[in-house]
Amino acid sequence: MASLIVHGGAGHFDAARQQPALGGIRRACETGWALLSQGASALDVVERVVTLLEDDPTFDAGTGSYPNTEGFVEMDAILVDGATLNFGAVAAIRHVKNPIQVARRVMCATRHCLLAGDGATRFAHAQGFAPVTDAELLGQPASSPGQGTVGAVALDAQGHIATATSTGGIKNKLPGRVGDSPLIGCGAIAEDGFGGASATGEGEGIMKVMMTRSVLEYLKAGLTAQAAADAALSDLADRVSGHGGLICLDAQGRHGFAYNTTHMARAYVTADGEIHSSL
Ligand code: GLY
């Protein structure tokens, strides 16, 4: 049976941001679930869901991304196909509206998996993605960017799993800094027959424990999706004193999530087809 789980980032959401974050994550999940219910592929659904969240300035991805210490926007994204283990990713890409769509293009139109920096930006524009300015990406007001990396994991009717993650990174990051999000096994993972996961939080810690790879290993060892999420998050907290969160699905579409921040915006489809969203 198809399944979907979506996140809008782990952290502390101020009171004024809570309803927009909840509304945005719920709308994205509703759209993704409608597509899955009509037979769309898991890959198409996670790309669409993350595109919606990138376009929502509530979140720190695409429009609404954090600027770096020099005031410009560099973004990271990844899309993973659990059927083939293929993935496409971009790191420190600039001047594109939807990094997740560029990540898909890297996967489908090149023999590479990850493009970074100026090469990624030039690839995107050469592929026809329209250039956008930092002012457009910073959202309005520019002094108040969005908050929260975004991600989605979907299982489609054919039993294929896909994951997508996108981010503008962390506050006060140095130019050129790349976090966990575009790195396979760190910001995202998917493997048919076992499951998929998307991470959020401080990338420096998530990379050290390769958090989504841990989720998959725990699923392969027979843990439930929720137990795998809890165990991987414990690794982050116990091994490197990291802060963040994750969402996951197992091969049957059962969901798990865990976080050790104040909030994590999330939405998922329950076993009876209802959408549950919370912060
Ligand atoms: N997890 C997002 C980042 O550290 O960039």
Side-chain angles (χ1 to χ4, degrees), residues 146-167:
Q147 181 180 340
T149 292
V150 303
V153 187
L155 170 71
D156 65 27
Q158 283 69 46
H160 297 312
I161 295 177
T163 303
T165 304
S166 182
T167 190

Side-chain angles (χ1 to χ4, degrees), residues 149 167 169-170 177 179-181 200-203 206:
T149 292
T167 190
I170 57 174
R177 180 265 186 190
D180 61 296
S181 298
T200 167
E202 296 166 356
I206 294 168

Side-chain angles (χ1 to χ4, degrees), residues 42-43 79-86 159-163 189-193 195:
L43 263 180
L79 184 133
V80 191
D81 179 4
T84 61
L85 305 188
N86 200 7
H160 297 312
I161 295 177
T163 303
I189 205 161
E191 186 171 344
D192 281 10

